[in-house]
């Protein structure tokens, strides 16, 4: 009996103090292509309980002397941590990104920065080494799907304060709307002290207007019940942009969006820059992981047009990479430009006309991709 108790006690200790890993990590070098420009970089796949996330890592050209290996990703009691060893010459850096899950996605919530400064001391006739350490709490945490290369590079060395923080100053934010002006504060620190600038978004007075119209409406007339914006990287530069539900089109059926996009040259947000006004701004959805923007427009005459956009960073413009036409009276789709007009007679014998089941995967993903519920 005593021996049996000993066996059960050992089994209890094993199951209590030994836990299977929560996460699995897989690293592979991929030839990543954006707008026909290819870059070979490490792509880290992180998975847990059916969830799967991809993280592209900097190259040695982007981050001095950086090289990723399997020891740089480690699981811990809260989630996992990603180590960056980089630098050279007078400064050697070791930055640690800490992740844990919020809303079923790993989020960066803390950064520990360690760096060594090497300088020559003439009096000692030797090198003097100064070690420094700093911890930054990130609030709100940044989703792993929002960690583009540029955002990672901005966080390394300069810390979280170099990323713009965006808040609404109005007491009626996310509550029944009281007035038509939304006051947004942007603050950040580039190492020269904290900078703050304020944005005033006026509902119904967008100088461009949807489809060239000059609206002068009250929020209630636009179908807006509360002030709200979402932070999303609309042009995939690694920095949050501000997406605002601006109301509905004149027939009252289609939501359209205004946007403040971050301009790195001016360190400011721009409301509806020219390239934003050149796209279809109804039913906007952003696939940050695949760096694609989706939108669609209902002609209300039997045809819905779907768009997929890529962003050309060098040209500062969106490029329409795909376009799809849906005849909702026939419940059929076509990529053929021939069927771009609602009044076009659709030839049901045309092999370019297909049901939903025969659409390519990228179109199914675009059509079903979740947007925003304001």
């Amino acid at each position: 009996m005593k021996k049996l108790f000993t066996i059960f006690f050992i089994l209890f200790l094993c199951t209590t103090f030994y836990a299977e890993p929560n996460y699995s990590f897989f690293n592979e070098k991929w030839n990543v292509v954006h707008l026909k420009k290819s870059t070979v970089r490490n792509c880290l796949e992180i998975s847990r309980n059916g969830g799967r996330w991809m993280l592209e890592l900097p190259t040695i050209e982007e981050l001095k002397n950086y090289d990723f290996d399997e020891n740089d990703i480690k699981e811990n009691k809260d989630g996992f941590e990603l180590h960056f060893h980089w630098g050279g010459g007078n400064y050697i850096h070791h930055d640690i990104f800490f992740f844990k899950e919020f809303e079923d996605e790993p989020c960066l919530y803390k950064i520990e920065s360690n760096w060594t400064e090497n300088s020559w001391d003439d009096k000692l006739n030797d090198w003097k080494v100064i070690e420094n350490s700093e911890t930054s709490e990130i609030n709100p945490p940044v989703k792993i799907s929002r960690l583009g290369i540029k955002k990672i590079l901005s966080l390394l060395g300069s810390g979280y304060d170099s990323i713009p923080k965006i808040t609404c100053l109005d007491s009626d934010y996310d509550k029944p709307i009281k007035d038509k002006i939304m006051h947004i504060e942007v603050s950040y620190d580039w190492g020269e002290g904290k900078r703050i600038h304020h944005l005033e978004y006026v509902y119904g007075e967008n100088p461009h207007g949807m489809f060239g119209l000059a609206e002068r409406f009250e929020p209630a007339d636009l179908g807006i019940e509360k002030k709200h914006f979402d932070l999303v990287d609309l042009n995939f530069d690694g920095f949050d942009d501000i997406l605002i539900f601006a109301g509905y089109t004149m027939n009252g059926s289609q939501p359209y969006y205004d946007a403040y996009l971050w301009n790195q040259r001016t360190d400011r947000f721009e409301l509806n820059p020219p390239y934003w006004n050149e796209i279809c701004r109804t039913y906007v959805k952003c696939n940050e992981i695949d760096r694609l923007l989706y939108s669609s427009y209902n002609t209300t005459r039997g045809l819905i047009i779907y768009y997929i956009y890529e962003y050309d960073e060098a040209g500062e413009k969106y490029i329409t990479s795909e376009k799809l036409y849906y005849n909702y009276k026939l419940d059929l789709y076509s990529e053929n430009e021939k069927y771009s007009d609602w009044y076009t007679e659709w030839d049901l014998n045309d092999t370019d006309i297909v049901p939903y089941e025969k659409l390519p995967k990228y179109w199914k993903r675009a059509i079903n991709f979740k947007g925003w519920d304001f």
Side-chain angles (χ1 to χ4, degrees):
M1 185 71 181
K2 192 172 183 181
K3 186 179 291 185
L4 188 63
F5 172 79
T6 304
I7 293 171
F8 277 115
F9 182 69
I10 292 171
L11 288 173
F12 170 77
L13 288 176
C14 290
T15 55
T16 303
F17 295 103
Y18 177 79
E20 290 289 332
N22 284 318
Y23 292 89
S24 61
F25 307 104
F26 177 71
N27 174 58
E28 188 175 14
K29 283 192 179 293
W30 284 6
N31 188 29
V32 180
V33 180
H34 295 312
L35 290 167
K36 299 181 180 179
K37 181 181 178 182
S38 62
T39 305
V40 177
R41 64 172 73 250
N42 284 294
C43 292
L44 182 63
E45 179 183 302
I46 301 141
S47 55
R48 188 182 83 89
N49 291 344
R52 177 177 170 273
W53 305 275
M54 298 298 297
L55 186 64
E56 294 181 14
L57 298 175
T59 65
I60 194 171
E61 290 79 16
E62 295 165 333
L63 193 63
K64 185 176 182 179
N65 292 331
Y66 172 66
D67 187 25
F68 178 82
D69 65 41
E70 60 182 13
N71 296 314
D72 291 330
I73 182 79
K74 302 174 183 177
E75 190 170 346
N76 56 39
K77 63 182 181 65
D78 295 316
F80 60 91
E81 57 197 62
L82 180 61
H83 293 245
F84 294 87
H85 298 272
W86 60 283
N90 291 346
Y91 295 93
I92 305 295
H93 295 266
H94 175 204
D95 296 289
I96 309 171
F97 285 14
F98 292 89
F99 295 84
K100 61 182 174 182
E101 287 191 31
F102 297 94
E103 299 178 356
D104 298 323
E105 180 173 348
C107 297
L108 176 64
Y109 72 96
K110 182 173 70 173
I111 297 176
E112 183 181 302
S113 299
N114 306 279
W115 68 99
T116 301
E117 181 180 353
N118 303 300
S119 60
W120 182 259
D121 191 320
D122 290 329
K123 292 182 179 178
L124 298 175
N125 197 32
D126 198 358
W127 288 97
K128 182 171 65 175
V129 178
I130 301 175
E131 295 183 351
N132 302 275
S133 181
E134 182 178 88
T135 299
S136 301
E137 300 289 337
I138 298 183
N139 189 26
V142 180
K143 291 182 177 181
I144 197 168
S145 59
R146 306 283 291 279
L147 279 176
I149 294 297
K150 288 193 176 181
K151 184 173 284 188
I152 291 175
L153 294 174
S154 297
L155 291 168
L156 291 168
S158 54
Y160 183 60
D161 287 337
S162 65
I163 301 296
K165 315 298 189 305
I166 305 157
T167 55
C168 183
L169 303 178
D170 298 335
S171 60
D172 58 345
Y173 182 74
D174 260 343
K175 298 175 182 177
I177 196 165
K178 294 179 182 178
D179 59 62
K180 64 190 300 181
I181 302 177
M182 180 161 58
H183 300 88
I184 302 170
E185 180 182 275
V186 182
S187 62
Y188 53 95
D189 188 344
W190 290 120
E192 302 172 357
K194 192 171 185 178
R195 302 185 190 181
I196 296 176
H197 67 263
H198 295 93
L199 309 173
E200 286 193 356
Y201 177 79
V202 183
Y203 287 95
E205 293 191 6
N206 174 359
H208 299 289
M210 189 60 187
F211 306 120
L213 303 174
E215 298 97 343
R216 290 294 183 271
F217 299 121
E218 293 299 316
D221 299 323
L222 296 167
I224 297 167
E225 298 178 353
K226 61 183 181 181
K227 297 175 183 176
H228 184 82
F229 59 78
D230 264 355
L231 300 179
V232 57
D233 187 0
L234 294 168
N235 55 1
F236 317 113
D237 62 357
F239 293 94
D240 287 328
D241 303 302
I242 305 172
L243 185 74
I244 300 171
F245 167 54
Y248 290 89
T249 54
M250 287 199 306
N251 57 30
S253 61
Q254 302 182 74
Y256 71 96
Y257 299 88
D258 285 334
Y260 284 98
L261 287 105
W262 179 252
N263 187 321
Q264 294 185 66
R265 293 194 306 272
T266 62
D267 293 343
R268 296 190 70 85
F269 282 96
E270 296 179 13
L271 176 62
N272 297 340
Y275 57 86
W276 181 253
N277 285 304
E278 290 174 359
I279 71 168
C280 176
R281 287 163 44 202
T282 52
Y283 292 108
V284 175
K285 299 181 287 185
C286 185
N287 181 346
E288 293 178 271
I289 295 176
D290 296 320
R291 297 170 62 94
L292 298 171
L293 198 67
Y294 307 137
S295 72
S296 62
Y297 176 65
N298 188 341
T299 66
T300 71
R301 293 186 177 92
L303 187 72
I304 295 177
I305 306 174
Y306 292 94
Y307 303 89
I308 299 178
Y309 301 100
E310 293 182 78
Y311 186 72
D312 177 4
E313 190 171 338
E316 294 187 349
K317 62 182 178 180
Y318 288 103
I319 294 174
T320 305
S321 58
E322 304 288 346
K323 193 182 292 187
L324 180 71
Y325 310 101
Y326 172 56
N327 187 318
Y328 52 81
K329 292 184 178 180
L330 298 175
D331 193 22
L332 293 170
Y333 296 84
S334 179
E335 292 182 295
N336 193 326
E337 188 75 24
K338 173 182 176 181
Y339 300 107
S340 61
D341 296 324
W342 68 270
Y343 51 79
T344 301
E345 185 176 345
W346 286 46
D347 180 3
L348 299 184
N349 294 318
D350 188 344
T351 55
D352 286 342
I353 295 177
V354 296
Y356 173 83
E357 291 74 19
K358 291 188 177 181
L359 285 175
K361 288 183 179 179
Y362 62 84
W363 270 124
K364 291 179 180 179
R365 184 164 57 247
I367 292 170
N368 297 324
F369 200 85
K370 187 178 178 182
W372 291 271
D373 183 12
F374 290 176

